[in-house]
Amino acid sequence: MKTYKVGIVGAGGVSELHLEGYKEQSDRVQVTALCDSNSDILNARADKYGIAGRYTSLDDFIASSGVDVAVVCTPSPLRKPIIAPLLAAGLPVFVEKPFSDTLAEAEQIVALSTQHGIPVSVNQNFRQHFPFEPTRDIVAAGTIGKVTSVLFTNLFFRQDSGWRVDCERHALSVMGIHWFDGVRLLLGSEAKSVYGQNRSSAAVDCKGETDASVQVTFDNGAVMTYVQSFSSVFNRTEMIVIGEAGTLHVEHSTIKLLKRGEQNPVQTWTSSISRETATYGGLNQLLTALETGEPAPNSAQDNLRTIAMLDAAYVSANEGRIVQL
C-alpha cells in the first residue's frame, strides 16, 4: 500500500477534523505540510500535530512542500482561487464541502479538473457519518419496496462566528449540502425539480438563512421533503424513508424497519462512524482512484449534482418558483 504525503491548505477549525482523522492512518497518509496566511493559526495547528512544513503563501506551498495530494480546508468563498493553482501544478485535491458556493463556480472547478486531467474529490463525510450508505443498501435490497417519500428533519440551535456569519448562503450551505447528497445517494436517482422557502430568524446572528423548507422530486418518482432549522431550541435529526412495503426510521446511529401490522420495529441496524473516520475514508477514495484510474465515488463531477440541488434551492427561494434540473 502506497503512503501519500498530504498537505493541508487552510488551518482553521475544520482542518482539525482532517488531522484527527488522518493521524491513525500513517501507513496510508502522512501530513507533511500546512499552509495558512495567518502565521499564528498556522503555527498553533502545526505545533499541535507535529507538522514540519509550514507555509503562509500558496505559491511557496506548491513550489516547495513536495506533497502528493492537497487537502483544501479554506472558507467556501475561497475554493476556486485555491483549487485552480493546485490543479495547474498537477496536485490532486480533496476539498471540504460545499466545494463551491455557487453552481457556476463549481462547474468551472470541474472544467479545470477535466482540462488538467487531475482529480478533485469532495469531503461528503456524512455519507458514512449519518447512515446513508447502509440505508442505500437496505433500499437497494428491496426491503421496503419502491420508495415514494423521504422526510428529513434537522433541527437545532447554531450560532456561528467568523466568516460564516457574513455569508449570504448559510443553513442550507452548511447542512443541507449533506442531506441533499445523502438522499440522492440512497435513492440512486437524480433530482429533477426543487422548490424551496428560506427564512432568517433574529435569534441567530448571521446574514444568510437560518431556516428552510425544501421539496425535491427525483427521476424515480420519489419526493424528498426537508426541513432545516438553525434557530430551534428543540433538537431533532431524523430521516423517514417510506416505501410501498415498509418504512425506515433513520437516526445518527440506528436504522429501524417498520412493517404494517407490527407495533415495534421488525429489524434494527446500527451504524456508528465518526466524522473524522469518515473524512479519512473520503480522502482514501481519492487515493484509491489515483491508483486504479477509476473515478472516485466522491468526485467533484459526481458532487456537481449535489451542488445543483443546493443552488436550485436558493434560486427557488429567491425567485418563488419551482426550479427544473
Side-chain angles (χ1 to χ4, degrees):
M1 180 184 297
K2 180 177 177 179
T3 301
Y4 290 83
K5 291 184 290 183
V6 172
I8 297 178
V9 182
V14 76
S15 68
E16 192 148 19
L17 178 73
H18 290 259
L19 289 162
E20 286 295 317
Y22 304 162
K23 69 180 184 181
E24 302 299 329
Q25 308 293 338
S26 59
D27 59 334
R28 186 61 163 161
V29 296
Q30 295 179 358
V31 180
T32 59
L34 188 61
C35 179
D36 198 289
S37 59
N38 186 316
S39 60
D40 291 337
I41 293 174
L42 169 67
N43 288 317
R45 192 76 72 205
D47 286 346
K48 180 176 179 179
Y49 289 94
I51 302 169
R54 306 178 186 193
Y55 303 88
T56 55
S57 160
L58 182 63
D59 289 341
D60 290 344
F61 172 87
I62 291 171
S64 304
S65 67
V67 299
D68 301 310
V69 175
V71 175
V72 176
C73 294
T74 60
S76 55
L78 298 178
R79 299 286 200 240
K80 185 186 172 187
I82 300 297
I83 293 173
L86 292 170
L87 293 176
L91 283 172
V93 171
F94 185 52
V95 59
E96 265 301 316
K97 60 78 201 170
F99 77 95
S100 175
D101 279 338
T102 67
L103 178 59
E105 186 177 89
E107 290 172 337
Q108 292 168 8
I109 291 171
V110 168
L112 287 171
S113 173
T114 302
Q115 174 188 332
H116 293 292
I118 305 297
V120 175
S121 281
V122 184
N123 184 28
Q124 287 288 358
N125 54 357
F126 273 56
R127 290 183 175 187
Q128 292 186 320
H129 176 55
F130 192 87
F132 283 116
E133 289 186 354
T135 303
R136 172 199 59 191
D137 296 340
I138 294 166
V139 168
T143 306
I144 62 171
K146 180 181 178 181
V147 174
T148 58
S149 300
V150 178
L151 310 178
F152 203 105
T153 304
N154 185 216
L155 313 176
F156 63 110
F157 187 85
R158 174 170 174 149
Q159 176 60 67
D160 281 288
S161 59
W163 63 271
R164 283 196 188 277
V165 300
D166 294 319
C167 291
E168 293 184 357
R169 296 184 171 190
H170 191 49
L172 291 178
S173 187
V174 173
M175 293 307 302
I177 190 73
H178 287 303
W179 313 137
F180 290 143
D181 184 71
V183 172
R184 60 173 283 261
L185 177 79
L186 80 87
L187 290 175
S189 184
E190 301 302 339
K192 69 176 184 180
S193 70
V194 178
Y195 178 70
Q197 293 180 308
N198 294 345
R199 284 89 60 203
S200 185
S201 170
V204 181
D205 179 21
C206 69
K207 187 175 181 179
E209 83 288 349
T210 61
D211 299 77
S213 302
V214 184
Q215 192 164 73
V216 182
T217 302
F218 288 83
D219 286 334
N220 66 358
V223 175
M224 172 193 187
T225 301
Y226 157 48
V227 176
Q228 179 70 58
S229 178
F230 277 9
S231 66
S232 175
V233 294
F234 174 76
N235 293 345
R236 172 168 290 171
T237 300
E238 67 176 4
M239 177 172 66
I240 300 170
V241 185
I242 302 173
E244 293 178 341
T247 297
L248 298 173
H249 180 221
V250 186
E251 296 179 295
H252 264 292
S253 60
T254 60
I255 307 166
K256 296 178 180 180
L257 171 62
L258 299 103
K259 292 280 190 174
R260 285 188 297 274
E262 300 290 340
Q263 291 186 338
N264 298 312
V266 299
Q267 190 169 355
T268 299
W269 298 264
T270 60
S271 177
S272 181
I273 299 175
S274 71
R275 292 190 306 145
E276 293 81 3
T277 298
T279 295
Y280 164 71
L283 173 61
N284 196 47
Q285 287 181 329
L286 171 61
L287 303 183
T288 301
L290 293 174
E291 294 164 350
T292 64
E294 297 295 323
N298 59 352
S299 70
Q301 284 85 348
D302 171 81
N303 207 242
L304 195 61
R305 296 169 180 174
T306 300
I307 294 285
M309 294 172 67
L310 176 68
D311 197 71
Y314 281 111
V315 171
S316 175
N318 291 338
E319 299 182 5
R321 63 180 179 90
I322 296 173
V323 174
Q324 303 292 335
L325 296 176

